[in-house]
Structures are given as structure tokens and as C-alpha cells.
């Protein structure tokens, strides 16, 4: 092949390669429990103590929790420092992945999403919790959400909600904790199935 024709052929091939569209990898499919729903009571004005609120959940297939969402009402003001979220197995509270929500990343109200720097692997047959801490109390809640039993959204099932006070203890020195009237405290794990 003559030199000029070879150079021209290579130039055309290079331009064609540049013009060929590339397909970006699709975002993985994710699931959460509450979607765009909102609580009946966006602020628990009767409770201003620091408290951690949780949703307990299971999954029907392996995957990872990549973020934790929580609903913030307009009166739910942050105390000093960051808000924190945590996800891990319910029966091993010392294990899990945690992440702060810095003030600059928090909106005045509505759903807040905290992406985990290190997503937490989850498998069927284990109960996990997704938790956030409201240092000033005044959290969102809705009574009787779990009165009819667990709530399923795709491969993730919410089995209940609970609270745990940060600085309040019972006579045995245990943090006060429990649940009340089958309430939801509007904490939401974001689940991405494996594969």
C-alpha cells in the first residue's frame, strides 16, 4: 500500500474510533423501604434527649447496604457535631459501618441520604439495623406502621423499629431502649443486590 494511502487509512480509522459512542455502565439497581413516603409526625416535640432511631430489616438475597436515609422534620435541629448513621447486625451492635452527615450536606427538612464510604455486606437469615442518631431528639415517627407485621419492598423487609437513648439509663446501667406502638422512626437502608 502506498505510504500516503496508508497514512490516510490510519487517520480515518482513528477518527472513526473517536466518534464511536461508548456505553456507560448502568447504575446498580437499589431498593429502599420507605421511598418518598412521609411521616404523620415529623417532629417529636415531647422528646428532646439524644436518641438513636433504627429500622430492623432482613434481605432475601445477598448484597450490600450502600447508604442510610432518614426523614428530618423542620424542627429536628442538629446538636453540635455531625449526625451519624450506622448499619450492622442487630445481635452484634459493635459491628457495622458508620458514616457522618456533615452540616453542609444536610437540608432543612425531608429525606436525608448518607452514602457509606464502605458499604456493608448483608445476607439472608440475619436481622440488621439501619440507625441514625438525633442528638437533639425531635425525630420523625408514625404510630402503628408495623401493627400488621413486617413490610416488604422487593428483596428487603422491615421487621420493626426501635429507639435507644444515648445518655439515659435504667437502674441496671443499661441504655434505655425499646419500641412504642409499632412505630416507624423513618430510617431507611439502601440495598444493592449482589451481581
Amino acid at each position: 500500500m502506498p505510504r500516503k494511502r496508508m497514512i490516510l487509512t490510519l487517520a480515518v480509522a482513528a477518527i472513526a474510533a473517536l466518534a464511536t459512542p461508548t456505553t456507560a455502565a448502568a447504575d446498580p439497581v437499589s431498593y429502599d423501604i420507605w421511598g418518598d413516603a412521609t411521616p404523620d409526625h415529623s417532629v417529636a416535640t415531647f422528646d428532646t434527649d439524644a436518641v438513636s432511631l433504627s429500622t430492623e430489616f432482613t434481605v432475601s438475597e445477598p448484597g450490600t447496604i450502600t447508604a442510610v436515609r432518614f426523614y428530618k422534620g423542620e424542627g429536628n435541629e442538629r446538636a453540635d457535631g455531625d449526625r451519624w448513621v450506622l448499619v450492622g447486625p442487630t445481635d452484634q451492635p459493635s459491628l457495622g459501618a458508620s458514616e457522618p452527615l456533615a452540616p453542609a450536606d444536610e437540608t432543612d427538612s425531608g429525606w436525608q441520604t448518607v452514602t457509606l464510604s464502605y458499604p456493608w455486606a448483608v445476607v439472608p437469615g440475619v436481622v440488621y439495623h439501619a440507625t441514625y442518631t438525633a442528638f437533639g431528639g425531635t425525630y420523625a415517627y408514625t404510630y402503628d406502621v408495623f401493627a400488621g407485621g413486617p413490610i416488604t419492598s422487593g428483596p428487603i423487609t422491615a421487621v420493626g423499629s426501635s429507639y435507644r437513648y444515648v445518655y439515659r439509663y435504667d437502674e441496671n446501667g443499661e441504655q434505655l431502649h425499646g419500641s412504642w406502638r409499632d412505630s416507624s422512626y423513618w430510617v431507611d437502608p439502601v440495598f444493592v443486590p449482589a451481581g
Side-chain angles (χ1 to χ4, degrees):
M1 177 183 291
R3 182 175 173 80
K4 287 184 179 179
R5 182 177 296 176
M6 184 174 68
I7 292 171
L8 180 60
T9 301
L10 291 173
V12 169
I15 291 170
L18 290 173
T20 302
T22 57
T23 303
D27 289 335
V29 174
S30 64
Y31 298 86
D32 58 60
I33 298 162
W34 308 120
D36 294 328
T38 56
D40 289 351
H41 308 283
S42 61
V43 179
T45 55
F46 56 84
D47 191 351
T48 57
D49 288 332
V51 62
S52 294
L53 295 313
S54 300
T55 295
E56 285 80 37
F57 66 94
T58 60
V59 295
S60 61
E61 59 184 283
T64 54
I65 302 301
T66 60
V68 175
R69 306 165 66 227
F70 67 90
Y71 190 88
K72 176 189 174 185
E74 290 184 6
N76 185 344
E77 300 300 332
R78 73 165 48 235
D80 291 339
D82 292 335
R83 292 189 198 264
W84 283 83
V85 301
L86 172 70
V87 63
T90 300
D91 64 349
Q92 296 177 289
S94 61
L95 296 179
S98 61
E99 195 77 28
L101 173 60
D105 297 326
E106 186 173 338
T107 62
D108 290 339
S109 62
W111 282 104
Q112 314 292 310
T113 300
V114 185
T115 300
L116 298 174
S117 297
Y118 301 98
W120 188 257
V122 292
V123 295
V126 177
V127 178
Y128 299 93
H129 65 93
T131 301
Y132 92 99
T133 300
F135 284 102
T138 60
Y139 46 84
Y141 68 98
T142 299
Y143 293 134
D144 302 320
V145 170
F146 292 101
I151 297 169
T152 298
S153 175
I156 187 167
T157 297
V159 297
S161 285
S162 64
Y163 62 83
R164 180 176 296 274
Y165 285 98
V166 178
Y167 305 117
R168 288 173 62 182
Y169 299 86
D170 63 18
E171 63 276 6
N172 299 315
E174 298 288 331
Q175 287 176 305
L176 289 175
H177 65 280
S179 57
W180 178 254
R181 283 189 55 180
D182 296 310
S183 296
S184 170
Y185 299 112
W186 299 93
V187 189
D188 206 3
V190 177
F191 173 68
V192 175

